[in-house]
């Protein structure tokens, strides 16, 4: 076979090496360009090879990053009780600062993983949602509505809310919202949550996190009507997800997006061994429950798991969601495994205009030489989150208007 090479040079800078803990020091907003890809045989899967790059003298400082509408995930909740930085014996991936520098090689001698293009899949889903919204409006004269409650003036939260509003407009979904000052009382926040709960034009209520420290997050989230809990985090929805024979009204958006990526790229889940790295309430635990629903044998790896690399190497499907850059090395992956990288981490890089670059929880350059398919960062799981939020809002409206048989949760979740 032939080969295509694209090598981008960059200046290497010595950076102070510090591993940050769970609490973000500060947040970045960014839009990173997607790599050029060789089109593969499967829909939304594109072939890519990796170029071995000499890193030189580079150390790194890891920082948390939030996402905007271009496909980055918001840092809103922490993995309580997790402390991967305290673990010993993990080697730093040498490609920390060159992860998006690719050379594309397709040969019989060198393995090349298929790239799962989350951006393309999410665009297709959003187009499907827009068509469904138009049909719903034609049948009922009404459209779905999504309301967002924002407290405070965090730039990352404001950007994410704007991206949701834009996505709603593109899909034909009505957008509602209230921006409350930072010092708003818990009672005032609850008042607006109840207002949207009672508004028949609103089919989804979302409270943008994080909330100011003086507000009880659990109390506010629990006040959202379960019928409008499009974020999928109401205790009753999570409880139903965990119980066999029960069906949640909504599934959390990012975990739902992970499963949707697997299903839409033809990855067999039934009977496979899946390892979920991370056990947060936001991604790890819900996605493990969803994999069980799809008849996978599921192992959850966390910061207290002995020999995590050895455990992960047994998996046919790996879903990494811990927020630790390049935790998962190539030797953690079984040959032919499918890898879903949920992590979004910013690594300082003074050669970049923004001063950093985004990488996942998986060392992509190593993993893509072993896995059969893998999601990139950015452009993998991130774009799916808002697409799933729109999907949940549409499902809520369908229930309200009597089209229960068309709700997607019932169609794809066993």
């Amino acid at each position: 076979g032939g080969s295509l090479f694209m090598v981008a040079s960059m200046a290497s800078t010595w950076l102070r090496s510090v591993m940050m803990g769970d609490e973000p020091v500060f947040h970045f907003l960014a839009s990173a360009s997607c790599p050029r890809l060789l089109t593969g045989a499967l829909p939304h899967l594109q072939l890519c090879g990796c170029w071995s790059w000499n890193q030189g003298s580079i150390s790194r400082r890891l920082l948390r990053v939030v996402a905007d509408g271009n496909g980055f995930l918001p840092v809103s909740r922490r993995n309580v009780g997790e402390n991967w930085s305290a673990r010993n014996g993990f080697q730093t991936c040498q490609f920390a600062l060159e992860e998006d520098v690719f050379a594309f090689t397709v040969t019989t001698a060198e393995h090349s993983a298929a790239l799962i293009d989350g951006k393309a899949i999410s665009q297709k889903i959003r187009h499907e949602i827009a068509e469904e919204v138009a049909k719903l409006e034609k049948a009922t004269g009404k459209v779905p509505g999504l309301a967002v409650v924002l407290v405070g003036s965090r730039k990352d939260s404001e950007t994410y809310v704007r991206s949701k509003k834009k996505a709603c407009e593109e899909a034909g979904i009505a957008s509602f919202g209230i921006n409350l000052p930072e010092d708003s009382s818990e009672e005032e926040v609850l008042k607006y949550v109840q207002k949207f709960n009672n508004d028949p034009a609103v089919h989804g209520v979302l409270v943008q996190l994080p909330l100011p420290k003086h507000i009880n997050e659990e109390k506010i989230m629990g006040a959202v009507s379960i019928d409008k809990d499009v974020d999928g985090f109401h205790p009753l929805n999570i409880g139903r997800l965990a119980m066999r024979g029960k069906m949640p009204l909504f599934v959390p958006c990012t975990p739902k997006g992970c499963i949707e990526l697997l299903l839409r790229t033809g990855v067999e889940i039934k009977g496979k061994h899946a390892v979920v790295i991370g056990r947060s309430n936001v991604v790890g635990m819900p996605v493990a429950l969803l994999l069980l629903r799809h008849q996978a044998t599921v192992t959850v790896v966390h910061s207290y798991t002995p020999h995590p690399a050895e455990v992960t190497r047994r998996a046919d499907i790996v879903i990494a969601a811990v927020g630790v850059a390049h935790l998962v090395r190539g030797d953690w992956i079984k040959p032919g495994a499918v890898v879903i990288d949920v992590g979004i981490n910013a690594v300082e890089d003074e050669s970049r205009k923004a001063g950093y670059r985004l990488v996942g929880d998986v060392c992509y350059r190593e993993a893509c030489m072993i896995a059969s398919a893998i999601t990139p960062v950015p452009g993998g799981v991130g774009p799916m989150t808002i697409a799933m939020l729109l999907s949940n809002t549409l499902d809520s409206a369908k229930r309200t208007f009597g089209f229960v048989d068309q709700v997607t949760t019932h169609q794809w979740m066993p």
Side-chain angles (χ1 to χ4, degrees), residues 34 64 110 116 118 134 166 185 201-202 205 218 226 242 252 257 271 288 294 316 340-341 358 369-370 381 397 399:
C34 295
R64 299 293 297 278
E110 184 178 35
I116 302 175
K166 180 181 178 182
S185 67
V202 174
V205 178
E218 185 175 349
I226 188 173
H294 285 268
D316 304 301
I340 305 294
D341 191 351
L358 298 179
M369 306 309 295
I370 301 167
V381 177
R399 289 192 190 94

Side-chain angles (χ1 to χ4, degrees), residues 17 45 84 94 99 117 121 129 145-146 241 252 293 298 309 351:
S17 180
L45 292 180
W84 283 92
Q94 65 172 328
E99 184 137 318
D117 189 348
I121 295 173
I129 291 170
L146 174 66
L241 178 62
R293 288 265 187 165
V298 182
S351 71

Side-chain angles (χ1 to χ4, degrees), residues 20-54:
M20 308 309 296
D22 281 339
E23 188 67 23
V25 175
F26 55 93
H27 297 278
F28 287 116
L29 295 172
S31 175
S33 59
C34 295
R36 299 176 183 175
L37 306 166
L38 296 181
T39 304
L42 293 175
H44 311 300
L45 292 180
Q46 298 172 303
L47 295 176
C48 73
C50 292
W51 185 259
S52 181
W53 189 265
N54 183 15

Side-chain angles (χ1 to χ4, degrees), residues 29 38 45 49 60 67 71-72 76 125 146 167 190 196-197 223 226-227 230 233 271 297 299 313-314 346 361 386 392:
L29 295 172
L38 296 181
L45 292 180
R60 61 183 179 157
F72 308 153
S76 56
I125 292 171
L146 174 66
L190 287 169
F196 290 131
N197 281 345
I226 188 173
D227 297 317
V230 290
F233 293 120
T297 299
T299 301
R313 255 195 312 273
R314 303 177 191 139
D361 290 347
I386 287 183
N392 283 351

Side-chain angles (χ1 to χ4, degrees), residues 137-218:
E137 184 177 19
K138 185 176 181 180
T140 66
K142 300 176 181 179
V143 298
L146 174 66
V148 179
V149 177
L150 174 63
V151 184
S153 56
R154 288 173 59 107
K155 296 301 181 185
D156 54 335
S157 294
E158 289 176 342
T159 300
Y160 195 54
V161 168
R162 281 196 300 270
S163 69
K164 290 173 183 174
K165 185 176 181 179
K166 180 181 178 182
C168 284
E169 291 172 353
E170 292 174 351
I173 294 174
S175 181
F176 305 88
I178 181 69
N179 293 2
L180 298 173
E182 181 83 17
D183 59 356
S184 296
S185 67
E186 201 170 85
E187 290 71 23
E188 190 172 5
V189 177
L190 287 169
K191 181 182 75 173
Y192 281 100
V193 169
Q194 291 300 332
K195 176 187 175 182
F196 290 131
N197 281 345
N198 298 328
D199 188 341
V202 174
H203 305 95
V205 178
L206 188 149
V207 179
Q208 183 64 40
L209 300 177
L211 292 169
K213 292 181 179 179
H214 67 279
I215 295 177
N216 186 323
E217 185 176 294
E218 185 175 349

